[in-house]
Amino acid sequence: MNSRKLHEELAVPIQESVKFQKLILGSQYYCETVDEDGDVPADSVVDWRDGKDTWCLRRQQAQLANELPGTSKPGAIQLGASSSVWEIAAAYIEGVQQESKTIHYVNEYSPEVPTTKLIYDWVDHQWCRTYIIMERAPGQLLDKVWHDLTEQQRKDVAQEVAVHVLSMSQRTSTSLSTIDGFGVEQFKLVGGQPLLDCIKTPAWVPWCHPVFSKDSLSSHLQSEASMPPPKEDNEFVFYHLDLTSHNIFVHLPRSEKDKGQLAQIVDWTNAAFWPRFWVATCPNRFGPFTVPGADDGDWYRYLRAALEEAGFAAQSEWFERFVVEQYRLREERGGEKYNEWLRSKQIRPR
């Protein structure tokens, strides 16, 4: 085949070789695009616009439920027990907080907060999945436009985030827990999953801490690092927790004179009732609060300063001492427990 013939046969770009008009979502639903000149099907559960396309969600027929189970479609993102086309599915475990319920909670009690806009969400008990269909977030991710923002514009964004954090903190609880009273999945202060549980439990199964009261949290922290927590009031405040640069969308200013503007806050998976001292302490250099690849990507400094200005005290020195002591003790205890487990399996400890 000569090059001219090849060129003629590839008049349709190679990228157009495969198109997906229908997305099978678990065992219950599928979504598909609606023809430009067509009507939304009468049996559509919900429909929405995404750019120039109209999409609709419909209940599956029996034959669809068994079509290619577990197959990943091109363009999907696979992250541990979660996968997404927009943001679409995560493993469902009884007793683990559903992100969609948390977003509904924020929308009800703090409607001024720019949250993820939900289109539809459900639990697929047959496949043990939770599904969320959400609108495409406006603006651009903060970490993608970090270098395009001035010092003042970064401060503007941080201050706007802090305003919403303060607003949400008006919702309080007497326990460290999710909105539905479950234990939280992530909390650096109370340690991670015990070593033996890691060995016995599949990696995709979320592990949650127990629900802590003020007193039980204090006792636990002292056992973790032999250090009492900072003195605080007896209530826990509602807090997003993961206000990193890849969970914040901003509107890119047109010029250096324009103000930096928050567009949306996403990923509410770990939002819960947290100790008040943790609000401004959590953004620190030990966590994911720096912008990858940026020499001046210390987003945590901007956010922490804005949170302190809003009235949240950062216990930075206390936390750094705590981390050092916690890791030292965890390594000692972890080694002992691991050797004990090896002996129980009749394996010689290292």
Side-chain angles (χ1 to χ4, degrees), residues 67-198:
E67 183 177 335
L68 300 177
T71 300
S72 297
K73 304 296 185 184
I77 301 170
Q78 183 67 41
L79 295 172
S82 300
S83 61
S84 65
V85 175
W86 285 275
E87 276 284 342
I88 218 158
Y92 171 72
I93 304 294
E94 192 73 33
V96 175
Q97 184 64 46
Q98 296 178 42
E99 182 184 8
S100 60
K101 288 189 175 182
T102 302
I103 296 172
H104 285 302
Y105 176 88
V106 178
N107 290 341
E108 179 178 358
Y109 292 107
S110 300
E112 70 283 356
V113 177
T115 62
T116 306
K117 304 303 180 185
L118 301 184
I119 295 172
Y120 199 74
D121 59 271
W122 71 96
V123 175
D124 187 326
H125 291 281
Q126 182 176 335
W127 281 24
C128 295
R129 302 282 194 280
T130 62
Y131 287 84
I132 304 175
I133 299 177
M134 56 185 69
E135 293 182 7
R136 193 183 300 272
Q140 300 181 58
L141 281 171
L142 178 59
D143 62 357
K144 300 300 183 184
V145 298
W146 182 259
H147 292 297
D148 298 318
L149 301 178
T150 65
E151 179 86 3
Q152 184 56 50
Q153 288 167 343
R154 295 170 182 175
K155 290 181 180 179
D156 293 339
V157 174
Q159 288 169 354
E160 194 171 353
V161 171
V163 167
H164 293 305
V165 170
L166 181 61
S167 172
M168 290 186 289
S169 72
Q170 304 307 307
R171 307 298 304 180
T172 61
S173 173
T174 56
S175 62
L176 197 170
S177 63
T178 69
I179 60 164
D180 288 330
F182 302 134
V184 298
E185 288 188 55
Q186 293 186 15
F187 190 26
K188 299 174 187 175
L189 289 181
V190 293
Q193 184 174 6
L195 178 62
L196 296 187
D197 286 351
C198 291

Side-chain angles (χ1 to χ4, degrees), residues 14 25 50 57 68 74 80 93 108 111 140 142 170-171 195 218 249 252 260 295-296 303-304 336 350:
I14 193 69
L25 307 179
D50 183 56
L57 184 71
L68 300 177
I93 304 294
E108 179 178 358
Q140 300 181 58
L142 178 59
Q170 304 307 307
R171 307 298 304 180
L195 178 62
S218 178
F249 281 81
L252 187 61
D295 294 335
D296 62 343
L303 181 57
R304 181 192 294 170
E336 293 171 2
R350 293 179 296 178

